[in-house]
Amino acid sequence: MARRTVSPRPSGRQVVFVGPFGVGKTTAVHTVSDTPVVRATAGTPSSSEEGTRVARRLAEAAGSDCGQWRRGPGGPVDVLAVAGQTRFGATLRPTVAPGSPVVLWLYGQTPYALDEAEEWLEYIAPETEESPLAVAVTRLEIPGDRPALVDYRSVVDRWARGAPLVSADPRDRESVEDVLRAALSAQVAPRPVRR
């Protein structure tokens, strides 16, 4: 059976974490949440829910994790981690309230990290053009031949000029809170669609 709530008490404000599978979106939600994290799961709705907007929304949001950061500036903020698979667009549309800040989490320890950043920014552009965007890069502390945080700026600016760009560890509460503050202070930037 599908869960009936996505958050214990929705705050009316939300920040959505998106990015590749395994980058740490769910870990970040668990790290920062002051409430038990809830996973929206698909299932058979009860006969009273079947065919309703709620049932469809729960089915479409399957795989999303939701917690609540109660110490956010201005009060509680719902924090959602959206599945990073190819069904991202179909999952994001019904999950994200219009204008909600979106955080793109990216791997930072690989030599092809900038190419992956470009791919993800292009991929999410149609779904996030009216949302403030922030970019969080993980694993920059791992030694090796890979881009530095400053190298991401030109890539990010091609898609969302001036979007906040931070190095973050999804396992560290203070780090995740910094990401959330950056997202909440972000402005919607004009985003050219690059093909």
Side-chain angles (χ1 to χ4, degrees):
M1 171 171 256
R3 297 198 186 254
R4 295 174 197 264
T5 60
V6 176
S7 175
R9 290 194 175 151
S11 68
R13 295 190 315 151
Q14 65 178 216
V15 173
V16 181
F17 293 164
V18 301
F21 179 79
V23 75
K25 303 177 301 285
T26 296
T27 298
V29 171
H30 281 271
T31 297
V32 79
S33 184
D34 297 311
T35 61
V37 174
V38 175
R39 169 162 280 190
T41 56
T44 307
S46 68
S47 58
S48 63
E49 292 178 322
E50 203 166 297
T52 67
R53 184 181 59 80
V54 170
R56 286 191 305 275
R57 186 174 173 127
L58 285 169
E60 291 167 343
S64 298
D65 294 292
C66 183
Q68 193 172 78
W69 181 40
R70 291 194 171 161
R71 300 178 226 172
V77 177
D78 295 333
V79 184
L80 287 83
V82 177
Q85 292 79 5
T86 55
R87 60 191 182 82
F88 165 80
T91 303
L92 186 62
R93 266 181 238 111
T95 306
V96 180
S100 292
V102 173
V103 175
L104 172 59
W105 286 83
L106 295 167
Y107 289 109
Q109 83 278 21
T110 65
Y112 53 85
L114 295 179
D115 292 334
E116 184 174 55
E118 186 86 41
E119 288 174 17
W120 269 93
L121 286 161
E122 180 178 11
Y123 187 51
I124 68 172
E127 305 301 332
T128 61
E129 63 187 358
E130 295 178 16
S131 297
L133 178 70
V135 177
V137 183
T138 69
R139 300 171 178 91
L140 285 173
E141 74 286 355
I142 296 173
D145 183 21
R146 42 118 185 97
L149 185 64
V150 69
D151 298 326
Y152 287 81
R153 183 80 269 163
S154 62
V155 176
V156 172
D157 281 349
R158 280 196 292 276
W159 294 96
R161 181 163 300 284
L165 173 63
V166 296
S167 173
D169 181 344
R171 302 164 298 177
D172 178 71
R173 184 179 178 99
E174 187 175 322
S175 186
V176 178
E177 287 178 346
D178 287 346
V179 169
L180 288 169
R181 279 190 284 275
L184 290 166
S185 68
Q187 302 295 315
V188 176
R191 298 198 192 138
V193 175
R194 310 239 183 235
R195 297 198 189 260

